[in-house]
Amino acid sequence: MFISALGSITGKHNRLGLPKVQSACVVVVDGLGSANLRYRAGHAPFLANQLNTDGSIMCGFPSTTVASLASFSTGVSAGEHGLVGYQIYDVKSKRNLNLLSGISGITEAMVLQPKTTVSELAAEAGVDCYFVGPPEYEGSGFTGATMRQTKYISARTIDDRVSAAKKLMAQKGKSLIYLYVPELDQRAHSFGSKSGQWVEKLEDLDLGIRRLVTNLPSQCGVLVTADHGVVDVAQDRHVYLDELELPGLASVGGDPRVLFLYFDQVVATSTLDKLRNYLGKRAIVADRNEIVAAGWYGKTTSDALERMPEIFLLAVGETALYHRHYAKPQSLNMVGQHGSISDDELFVPLLRLGGYKKNL
């Protein structure tokens, strides 16, 4: 949808058919699934009412920040851009690589994600492109992989980011703005999406978006969306794969809702049977060929295939999957989870405001 926002300015690649504008701002709220918003009845009335008007779209697979934001920033599926999950095992170097925080710099970013980004297309079209986000993401490897032709505007709070974006839209000339809100995802991981702490940030967001679009010039369009939704999982619903003997297991990656199992040998049928018997209805066990054939990654490159695990475990219901030899201890304390294929994780809002607002 970032590419459609650019298209609404340039007249090209406007897949959503958005009205023509001079400036566009796309707000990505990390972890705000449509269900997460609907479940908070009586809260965030501005966003909730707009969701009832505009509806939802489905994020890509896996429903995790790395894959979704890379698709957002390039306009292609994870099978094409190659950032296939949160954590992968690099077969060549025999190391685990966190694709969100572990990309070392722009050189590695360009190797891992070589596709042209929307921000680069904007630069070619003479459109100023901005990334308005928290200070800690400025200059990161992941930003280099996804937003490499943006001017970074550092703003610590939601309110500060809204003010910065509103100021940019008030300027003359064509501009494309990416406004990133990570706070709800952070609160969900720590406290759960049903917690008072999460609702507090939801209310802050509701006020911020309302302020962003108040008295907005008609030639400025605003979209509000998310990279994935969140499912809350109690600790007694954790499943531990280290209780199984899995011959040839080389590493474990992905997320607790979509666990990646990497093997250094051909996976035996007996290993698949063992996983299916152990997990039962708590998870779907699928090999790489099944996932690719099902189209979950879309068009798939050889680089993406090489980064995928031999076995995917997709959590079902309120379940989280861990292998404690590979999981960080703090990850075992997470409440809010995502990555799998439930509706609560896959469906996110697509709200059209300002110059994009639907005429009812």
Side-chain angles (χ1 to χ4, degrees):
M1 92 189 42
F2 201 43
I3 197 167
S4 289
L6 174 60
S8 71
I9 300 170
T10 64
K12 300 178 181 179
H13 311 298
N14 190 351
R15 302 170 187 175
L16 294 175
L18 298 170
K20 187 169 180 58
V21 295
Q22 179 175 298
S23 295
C25 177
V26 185
V27 183
V28 176
V29 186
D30 202 321
L32 182 64
S34 297
N36 301 123
L37 182 53
R38 289 195 178 101
Y39 292 161
R40 306 280 74 78
H43 294 281
F46 182 77
L47 294 173
N49 290 338
Q50 199 64 41
L51 179 62
N52 290 334
T53 298
D54 291 335
S56 306
I57 58 170
M58 195 167 77
C59 72
F61 174 83
S63 52
T64 194
T65 300
V66 167
S68 290
L69 289 188
S71 292
F72 170 83
S73 68
T74 59
V76 301
S77 66
E80 288 190 72
H81 61 62
L83 302 188
V84 298
Y86 173 65
Q87 182 161 288
I88 63 168
Y89 178 64
D90 188 329
V91 177
K92 293 177 181 177
S93 64
K94 305 295 184 184
R95 66 177 179 128
N96 290 325
L97 178 60
N98 185 311
L99 293 177
L100 189 62
S101 61
I103 300 175
S104 60
I106 189 62
T107 300
E108 186 173 39
M110 292 288 289
V111 171
L112 289 167
Q113 197 304 95
K115 291 290 184 181
T116 300
T117 64
V118 175
S119 58
E120 289 170 303
L121 293 176
E124 291 173 7
V127 177
D128 294 327
C129 196
Y130 301 92
F131 180 170
V132 183
E136 56 266 30
Y137 302 124
E138 184 173 5
S140 74
F142 186 71
T143 297
T146 55
M147 292 282 167
R148 44 183 169 248
Q149 279 293 326
T150 56
K151 179 179 180 181
Y152 201 94
I153 307 296
S154 178
R156 188 164 296 282
T157 68
I158 295 174
D159 200 49
D160 289 343
R161 274 167 252 147
V162 166
S163 296
K166 193 154 188 172
K167 183 177 180 180
L168 290 170
M169 284 191 287
Q171 296 176 355
K172 293 182 179 179
K174 299 175 181 179
S175 61
L176 177 64
I177 303 157
Y178 164 48
L179 195 165
Y180 180 54
V181 180
E183 284 87 349
L184 275 81
D185 187 66
Q186 294 166 352
R187 293 286 178 99
H189 285 316
S190 296
F191 307 108
S193 64
K194 298 179 177 65
S195 66
Q197 294 94 331
W198 189 88
V199 170
E200 179 185 30
K201 284 301 171 187
L202 178 64
E203 294 286 11
D204 289 346
L205 175 70
D206 193 66
L207 290 172
I209 299 300
R210 190 181 311 198
R211 186 164 71 84
L212 179 65
V213 299
T214 297
N215 298 322
L216 195 67
S218 60
Q219 69 270 24
C220 298
V222 173
L223 296 175
V224 180
T225 191
D227 53 349
H228 56 73
V230 172
V231 174
D232 289 355
V233 180
Q235 286 199 358
D236 62 6
R237 300 298 299 273
H238 289 184
V239 178
Y240 302 116
L241 272 295
D242 48 276
E243 295 178 353
L244 287 179
E245 183 180 349
L246 299 172
L249 183 68
S251 190
V252 176
D255 286 281
R257 291 281 298 173
V258 56
L259 211 63
F260 291 1
L261 302 185
Y262 293 90
F263 291 80
D264 58 14
Q265 63 186 46
V266 175
V267 181
T269 301
S270 60
T271 298
L272 290 168
D273 290 341
K274 182 185 292 186
L275 284 165
R276 290 184 175 118
N277 290 334
Y278 179 70
L279 293 168
K281 295 181 179 180
R282 297 178 296 183
I284 298 167
V285 180
D287 66 29
R288 177 170 50 210
N289 291 336
E290 290 174 309
I291 291 290
V292 172
W296 281 104
Y297 274 107
K299 181 181 177 181
T300 305
T301 67
S302 58
D303 284 341
L305 279 171
E306 190 175 80
R307 295 168 192 166
M308 292 180 198
E310 282 75 17
I311 300 296
F312 292 78
L313 304 181
L314 311 181
V316 174
E318 294 179 355
T319 302
L321 309 169
Y322 291 94
H323 194 300
R324 286 170 292 190
H325 297 167
Y326 298 95
K328 292 182 178 180
Q330 61 265 34
S331 73
L332 297 169
N333 296 321
M334 288 197 308
V335 181
Q337 307 269 11
H338 52 83
S340 192
I341 56 175
S342 72
D343 286 354
D344 286 4
E345 291 160 284
L346 288 175
F347 284 92
V348 296
L350 176 56
L351 311 184
R352 305 173 186 231
L353 301 163
Y356 294 148
K357 193 173 180 67
K358 291 180 179 178
N359 294 319
L360 302 178

